[in-house]
Amino acid sequence: MTTVLLLGCGVRQVSDGDGDEIPSATPEWAPCVMDDVDWQNCDEVCAAEGLVCVANACPADPKYCNPKPCDMATQAFALDDEALCADALAGGSVATSCEAPIDWLFSNTLRCCCAEPD
């Protein structure tokens, strides 16, 4: 039996795009990583893929993207690595900075919002 951790995301925020430093490449959820490596933040996770982290630039829930604005996030996390690795929207999401520490307390799998560097 597979269990997915779906948490309410009171820390999510709506991004209006003002002041966001988003690279010219479209941000998207990077491949998932596990807590078996000592990942400190999304800057590290994205850099390992040759990408740059983009704070609050990936859709937390695409059903709220039409009409805009979207609920955007920087981290997607879950206990079920199979579901999250197949679909970043299968877990919870958090709007945070790229330097914010990863909270592994309630999850063991994470994806970060990343883009190709300019």
Side-chain angles (χ1 to χ4, degrees), residues 2-87:
T2 301
T3 303
V4 177
L5 177 67
L6 295 174
L7 296 176
C9 300
V11 294
R12 293 192 312 182
Q13 68 187 33
V14 175
S15 174
D16 59 8
D18 293 339
D20 292 344
E21 294 183 21
I22 298 177
S24 57
T26 303
E28 55 187 43
W29 293 111
C32 61
V33 296
M34 309 297 279
D35 67 351
D36 56 352
V37 174
D38 190 24
W39 301 108
Q40 296 300 309
N41 55 46
C42 277
D43 273 341
E44 285 185 8
V45 172
C46 293
E49 295 291 324
L51 304 170
V52 294
C53 176
V54 186
N56 307 322
C58 291
D61 188 340
K63 74 180 182 180
Y64 294 112
C65 290
N66 193 7
K68 289 188 174 185
C70 287
D71 222 6
M72 305 301 269
T74 306
Q75 299 177 5
F77 54 90
L79 281 173
D80 179 8
D81 59 332
E82 290 180 24
L84 185 69
C85 292
D87 178 7

